[in-house]
Amino acid sequence: LWSELETASAKARLLATRQDALHAETLIARLHMAVTLRRISEARDLMTALQPLEQLPPVTLLRAAAALRRAGAPTQALAMLQRHPEDPLTAAWWAEFFACAHASADIPGMKRAIDALLQLEPDSIRLQSNQAALLLLTGEDPAEAVRLTLAVHTRAPHSPEARINHAFALLRLGRAQDAEPLLTGLDTTGAAPERVANHRLALVEL
């Protein structure tokens, strides 16, 4: 009898999870439509309906979080992801976690995501660059920031971002003489505004 009760309970939980997943997918589709059509009030209602959903398959939960972030609610999306156990999570999960944390200016969340992603993709230049950028942002461990930015610059010597980040790291240690050659002569014509601003800021710090 006890075994039968356990089986029935498991089936009920599975059915509830599937129903929740279907409900979530419907909300996600409606949210995308509301945002596209700029139905602000409807989008807010749908975001409110999505936030408390927890008993969802990881793929659906990931899609729900991405929908919330793109709709302008990254903090709520991050909270949704943080309630999920970490065990079965993939690079795609942690990439979305990082995107939500970055959009929320949540530095511990960004660090947690980068650490997890580096476990999955230890040779990624992009992730190593992000890790170094976080150290520069927080001012933690300047020597490690120099080591990481140098490693990225060595692997991507023609990357303006890598040169600027390494220059910033050197400047944090008072090594302006070493940073100057990385910045002078760097052409930022047509570059993204953020990169241009970072280059100018680094030149000011020389």
Side-chain angles (χ1 to χ4, degrees), residues 13 20 25 29 37 45 50 55 68 112 124 136 151 155 160 164-166 172 174 176 182-183:
R13 287 196 301 271
D20 285 348
E25 292 289 357
L37 298 177
D45 289 343
L50 268 174
Q55 301 304 317
L68 283 172
R112 179 181 170 193
S124 169
L136 291 173
R155 294 181 62 188
I164 293 169
N165 282 347
H166 188 43
R172 293 293 184 271
L182 294 166
L183 298 171

Side-chain angles (χ1 to χ4, degrees), residues 16 33-34 59 65 162 171 173 181 199:
M33 183 65 70
V59 172
L171 288 168
L173 287 180
H199 181 231

Side-chain angles (χ1 to χ4, degrees), residues 14 21 35 39 74 83 127 173 178:
L14 179 59
V35 171
R39 296 174 178 166
R83 292 196 297 266
L127 293 176
L173 287 180
D178 294 326

Side-chain angles (χ1 to χ4, degrees), residues 59-111:
V59 172
T60 304
L61 194 57
L62 186 61
R63 282 170 47 77
L68 283 172
R69 173 177 58 81
R70 292 175 186 137
T75 303
Q76 292 87 337
L78 183 61
M80 177 180 279
L81 294 176
Q82 286 173 329
R83 292 196 297 266
H84 195 280
E86 298 180 17
D87 239 2
L89 307 186
T90 62
W93 175 281
W94 285 113
E96 182 57 41
F97 194 106
F98 178 82
C100 292
H102 184 267
S104 304
D106 185 318
I107 291 175
M110 286 190 279
K111 185 178 186 304

